[in-house]
Amino acid sequence: MSVSAISSSAPLLEVDNLKVEFDTRRGLVQGLRGVTLSIGRGETLGVVGESGSGKSVTAQAVMGLIDMPGRIASGDIRWKGRSLFGRDGERYAQDIRGKEVAMVFQDPMTSLNPVLKIGTQIGEVLERHLGMTRAQARNRAEELLAAVGISAPRRRLDQHPHEFSGGMRQRVMIAMAIACEPQLLIADEPTTALDVTIQAQILELLAQLQETLGLSVILITHDLGVVAGLCHRVAVMYAGQIIETGLAEDVFERPAHPYTQGLLRSTPRLDEVSDRLVSIEGTPPNLVVPPEGCSFQQRCPLSGEACRKAPRLEHIRPDAEAACWKPSVPAWATPLMSPSMPS
Amino acid sequence: MLNAVPAASPAPPLLSVQGLDVTYETGAQGFWGRPRAFKALEDISFDLRPGETLGLVGESGSGKTTTGRAVLRRIKASAGKIVFQGKDITNVSGEQLRKLRRNMQLVFQDPYASLNPRMRVIDIVAEPLLVHGLIRHVDEARDRITELLRVVGLPADAHDRFPHAFSGGQRQRIGIARALALQPEFIVADEPVSALDVSVRAQVVNLMQDLQKELGLSYLFIAHDLSVVRHISHRVAILYAGRMVEVAERDELYDHPIHPYTEALLSAVPVPDPRTQRQRKRIVYGGEIPDLVNPPPGCRFSTRCPLATAQCKQEAPKLTERSPGHLVACWNR
Ligand SMILES: Nc1ncnc2c1ncn2[C@@H]1O[C@H](COP(=O)(O)OP(=O)(O)OP(=O)(O)O)[C@@H](O)[C@H]1O
Ligand SMILES: Nc1ncnc2c1ncn2[C@@H]1O[C@H](COP(=O)(O)OP(=O)(O)OP(=O)(O)O)[C@@H](O)[C@H]1O
Ligand code: SF4
Ligand code: SF4
Ligand SMILES: [Mg+2]
Ligand SMILES: [Mg+2]
């Protein structure tokens, strides 16, 4: 079956009830506990959540990077409707990873080879995946550096990573990721190590590439502001699960899950002055022995009897899903029906 | 209101930094090169009033940590003056310095690396008391430490446990308890919440504000997160490449920034609200932060500044007062 035969309205990537475990000295860590998400063509999905919630493991699973001591315990990942698991799937996965789906990591220094010139590193990708000659690859590498906004790209090809600043290295990583013209780019905290003015430059670049190349982007971050600026949809993770997802505007303005509400309220805003932050008491649960029922129970102001059973991600509005027995619209949210409320 | 009082109070400053320079040596450049010195800080001046929080903001390498360490007398000033409680402490040493240090403490960024994993919580918190000879054995301070742990919101049975048994936010509380053990008046908090998740970050910020109110502490709060700084600070100072470019009351700085760099910095911070964020105008200046070993002459922002004129490239602008308490270093603004 040819891949292009699949209807273009089908999601590009589907992750279906994915469970990932890590066999550690502390015990079996349930890194992902049933993650389901999908992303369509040209769409930008933001994945947010605190440290350890499973953002990176989700990306690693898609890229086939779950290694010992981790393993995929159950679930499925489909690319254009076809599974990446099973014997057939693995061959298929090899064909698409790095080409149709590419990834950018948080720390560019650990993913670039310090002793190789930048031009050589980008060239290798092009020669390997696209079968270009060395000369072709060099020309294309120069174009790619120009495309990610690096000035004097020809001269830069012959420099080593340490001669680049942090922001420029991240641009190089993005150039390498888009070298094979992927349809989906997964960026795992691409700006976390960067200063805010440099972060703004990189986000601008991602937005521009997304538009000109029609890229789909999964942007992993813990910065809600970054999501607000760039993403169509957002998925909020907590303790190895997605607990709320929907259109970005919707989730930010009418969060239904108590955790999302807490997260938004405890995030200080540059454009607002309040002399006291609202905090979520307590800390996330241990994933070796995750709590029975709702994983947010211990910290949730609304928790009750019903919450001892695990809630599933369910539609609360046509475009929004939440995993909570008592989804609510908080008092401070923008009312659904009002046309425009000054805030 | 928590954030209202000290700004207007006429009390003399607790700390006054005047024209501070700090010089570091770099390694040799090239085989024949000699080690070179460069100024990490140049002409830094600011006051901190009793009970006040001054937010110190700037991008990586701008000199925030260096400022904090110089003020605490952990590194040497190569020029300028540091006055604490009315006394010039720039060159004090020996017993005087030890006494001084009791009154100024540091809270670190990394709650994982800054606590010795082999020490119990009680030993960690009591360490400053032992070092300063205020107690001879940990047991003498047991009650005091129980009280400290309560104040910072740690469980009563935390005493005998080791750091690994605590979450990031709890470890930061241990670090704060240790800093408070000597009952200092002044705390330099160097990115105390940067390593923490948002939900926990709010807990620690609130704790620091509560402690300030209860104990009358003054903070030099170092951070690169401008949103957190807005919430905790009374006044805010902006560093760029080793120089202070702007300092003002908090709301004045956020609502009416004057320096072109401050303006760009504030515009680059994303706001967690899609409607607002998509409409915000980002001022993006190309270019990079200058190399401090070979800084540009004149204004250090001149390599990126759209307003730069010939004067900017020759002569460094000094901080001048534009409205009461609002100081800016720029020739053209
Ligand atoms: N190699 C590994 N070995 C053991 N446990 C792991 C490993 N990788 C991830 N985990 C566990 O899986 C869970 C999810 O981790 P993950 O890295 O996806 O979090 P994250 O959301 O990306 O967090 P962060 O914001 O800190 O990057 C965590 O509990 C983590 O400890
Ligand atoms: N011990 C040292 N020896 C030499 N140079 C140093 C030393 N410590 C800092 N520097 C340099 O001094 C400058 C200021 O560093 P500092 O650590 O004060 O910056 P910072 O604003 O705290 O940055 P960050 O946000 O990354 O913590 C940088 O160029 C740094 O490389
Ligand atoms: S299911 Fe219950 S405990 Fe969980 S978030 Fe909803 S109300 Fe809170
Ligand atoms: S002094 Fe000149 S170069 Fe510096 S910020 Fe002002 S206008 Fe720009
Ligand atoms: Mg991660
Ligand atoms: Mg620092």
Side-chain angles (χ1 to χ4, degrees):
Chain A
M1 186 181 70
S2 114
V3 173
S4 56
I6 291 169
S7 136
S8 64
S9 68
L12 212 47
L13 175 76
E14 293 162 279
V15 175
D16 191 358
N17 202 16
L18 191 70
K19 296 189 179 162
V20 175
E21 300 170 345
F22 296 92
D23 201 354
T24 69
R25 271 191 307 156
R26 289 181 297 145
L28 203 62
V29 177
Q30 303 182 25
L32 294 189
R33 305 188 301 136
V35 166
T36 298
L37 62 81
S38 72
I39 180 164
R41 284 172 203 273
E43 190 176 47
T44 301
L45 171 71
V47 178
V48 298
E50 47 201 303
S51 190
S53 58
K55 306 181 296 294
S56 296
V57 171
T58 304
Q60 287 157 6
V62 172
M63 295 307 292
L65 299 173
I66 302 288
D67 249 332
M68 287 298 283
R71 69 179 195 101
I72 292 176
S74 65
D76 198 9
I77 300 177
R78 290 184 293 276
W79 177 249
K80 295 178 182 167
R82 231 174 112 185
S83 174
L84 301 186
F85 297 158
R87 201 170 343 130
D88 250 17
E90 264 166 39
R91 215 171 310 128
Y92 178 50
Q94 267 179 17
D95 285 345
I96 61 147
R97 284 182 182 137
K99 262 197 287 189
E100 293 184 33
V101 194
M103 184 151 167
V104 176
F105 298 89
Q106 170 173 345
D107 185 357
M109 208 49 194
T110 58
S111 12
L112 286 171
N113 186 333
V115 299
L116 288 183
K117 291 175 183 171
I118 292 296
T120 313
Q121 300 195 47
I122 304 177
E124 262 177 12
V125 176
L126 294 164
E127 288 169 42
R128 178 154 36 95
H129 282 302
L130 301 182
M132 287 188 179
T133 65
R134 183 146 303 177
Q136 284 170 327
R138 194 174 162 83
N139 282 329
R140 180 72 186 132
E142 185 183 341
E143 286 170 16
L144 285 164
L145 287 187
V148 296
I150 289 180
S151 53
R154 171 125 294 212
R155 184 169 57 83
R156 291 291 191 172
L157 288 175
D158 294 318
Q159 293 187 333
H160 291 90
H162 70 87
E163 297 173 76
F164 287 63
S165 69
M168 276 160 64
R169 278 183 216 130
Q170 199 53 290
R171 284 174 193 269
V172 170
M173 291 309 299
I174 293 172
M176 282 168 80
I178 62 168
C180 300
E181 297 175 22
Q183 291 153 43
L184 173 65
L185 183 68
I186 303 179
D188 190 356
E189 312 256 10
T191 59
T192 304
L194 304 175
D195 278 318
V196 58
T197 58
I198 312 296
Q199 162 172 292
Q201 294 171 10
I202 297 290
L203 294 176
E204 204 120 294
L205 170 66
L206 281 176
Q208 174 218 324
L209 291 173
Q210 202 251 322
E211 202 163 300
T212 54
L213 307 179
L215 265 183
S216 303
V217 178
I218 296 180
L219 181 70
I220 296 173
T221 174
H222 56 260
D223 187 334
L224 293 168
V226 168
V227 172
L230 208 64
C231 299
H232 304 117
R233 281 198 303 131
V234 58
V236 183
M237 294 195 73
Y238 188 78
Q241 288 167 331
I242 291 176
I243 52 92
E244 181 157 10
T245 176
L247 293 174
E249 276 115 284
D250 220 33
V251 172
F252 278 79
E253 282 173 20
R254 287 180 288 278
H257 195 287
Y259 174 67
T260 315
Q261 294 169 6
L263 196 63
L264 281 163
R265 289 247 277 172
S266 58
T267 304
R269 288 177 61 150
L270 187 81
D271 60 342
E272 271 179 17
V273 201
S274 75
D275 288 329
R276 191 150 187 95
L277 297 173
V278 180
S279 64
I280 308 176
E281 292 313 310
T283 47
N286 168 349
L287 293 180
V288 177
V289 198
E292 299 230 348
C294 174
S295 51
F296 192 55
Q297 255 175 103
Q298 284 71 15
R299 307 173 76 183
C300 180
L302 301 181
S303 93
E305 200 60 22
C307 310
R308 291 208 218 140
K309 248 179 64 199
R312 280 220 303 244
L313 203 55
E314 273 167 17
H315 279 281
I316 45 162
R317 289 188 296 271
D319 266 329
E321 293 169 78
C324 171
W325 296 117
K326 304 172 191 170
S328 61
V329 175
W332 46 270
T334 320
L336 252 182
M337 297 317 291
S338 108
S340 73
M341 284 264 301
S343 54
Chain B
M1 206 173 70
L2 189 63
N3 277 333
V5 194
S9 83
L14 178 74
L15 171 76
S16 178
V17 174
Q18 296 156 19
L20 176 72
D21 285 8
V22 171
T23 307
Y24 285 125
E25 301 256 303
T26 64
Q29 299 202 323
F31 187 73
W32 301 107
R34 269 179 288 143
R36 295 176 56 180
F38 74 95
K39 272 190 188 163
L41 289 181
E42 193 164 46
D43 198 14
I44 300 293
S45 301
F46 62 89
D47 285 351
L48 182 71
R49 299 170 200 139
E52 182 185 45
T53 300
L54 177 68
L56 187 60
V57 185
E59 298 187 88
S60 190
S62 58
K64 304 181 294 296
T65 297
T66 304
T67 306
R69 290 169 55 88
V71 164
L72 294 176
R73 291 286 327 273
R74 286 167 186 244
I75 45 176
K76 235 181 91 222
S78 51
K81 212 158 104 173
I82 303 164
V83 180
F84 186 69
Q85 296 176 322
K87 244 185 31 217
D88 185 342
I89 61 159
T90 323
N91 297 306
V92 301
S93 58
E95 187 53 27
Q96 265 189 315
L97 183 59
R98 267 168 60 87
K99 278 227 181 77
L100 181 70
R101 287 206 166 132
R102 270 166 45 184
N103 223 344
M104 345 169 101
Q105 289 292 311
L106 183 61
V107 175
F108 294 94
Q109 165 170 4
D110 190 341
Y112 295 90
S114 60
L115 303 178
N116 184 337
R118 277 182 293 276
M119 282 166 75
R120 293 175 307 161
V121 168
I122 185 170
D123 300 318
I124 292 172
V125 178
E127 195 182 23
L129 297 167
L130 286 164
V131 168
H132 283 275
L134 300 178
I135 55 170
R136 249 164 299 151
H137 193 271
V138 175
D139 286 335
E140 294 171 42
R142 206 161 246 281
D143 289 347
R144 186 142 158 208
I145 289 164
T146 305
E147 174 60 13
L148 275 168
L149 295 181
R150 189 193 60 76
V151 167
V152 300
L154 284 167
D157 64 351
H159 274 113
D160 298 313
R161 285 151 70 192
F162 291 88
H164 68 79
F166 296 90
S167 69
Q170 286 177 318
R171 288 182 214 205
Q172 203 53 301
R173 289 168 194 267
I174 299 172
I176 292 171
R178 175 175 59 188
L180 292 177
L182 293 166
Q183 298 176 290
E185 285 173 69
F186 171 50
I187 289 182
V188 173
D190 192 354
E191 312 249 11
V193 297
S194 304
L196 305 176
D197 274 312
V198 268
S199 74
V200 178
R201 191 176 292 176
Q203 296 171 11
V204 175
V205 167
N206 287 344
L207 170 67
M208 288 186 65
Q209 288 184 317
D210 291 344
L211 292 172
Q212 177 167 61
K213 205 157 61 170
E214 268 171 54
L215 309 173
L217 298 169
S218 303
Y219 295 131
L220 181 63
F221 189 91
I222 296 174
H224 57 256
D225 183 333
L226 284 137
S227 307
V228 170
V229 166
R230 177 158 203 175
H231 284 264
I232 201 168
S233 307
H234 302 103
R235 285 188 306 132
V236 177
I238 311 278
L239 288 183
Y240 182 78
R243 292 219 186 109
M244 196 169 276
V245 298
E246 186 157 6
V247 55
E249 300 288 328
R250 170 191 62 181
D251 290 345
E252 169 72 8
L253 186 114
Y254 281 79
D255 297 337
H256 308 289
I258 293 179
H259 197 281
Y261 174 68
T262 310
E263 210 175 42
L265 190 64
L266 290 173
S267 84
V269 179
V271 169
D273 175 343
R275 274 178 225 280
T276 312
Q277 179 57 24
R278 282 167 203 169
Q279 277 163 17
R280 287 179 77 221
K281 267 230 173 61
R282 259 196 319 241
I283 306 169
V284 179
Y285 295 142
E288 310 270 335
I289 297 166
D291 176 11
L292 291 180
V293 180
N294 301 298
C299 174
R300 292 197 171 165
F301 194 53
S302 61
T303 50
R304 303 169 72 189
C305 182
L307 305 178
T309 51
Q311 181 183 28
C312 305
K313 301 195 179 198
Q314 282 158 16
E315 210 179 328
K318 287 215 169 257
L319 281 175
T320 56
E321 191 162 37
R322 308 307 172 89
S323 60
H326 193 159
L327 283 74
V328 181
C330 175
W331 292 123
N332 299 324
R333 270 280 173 84

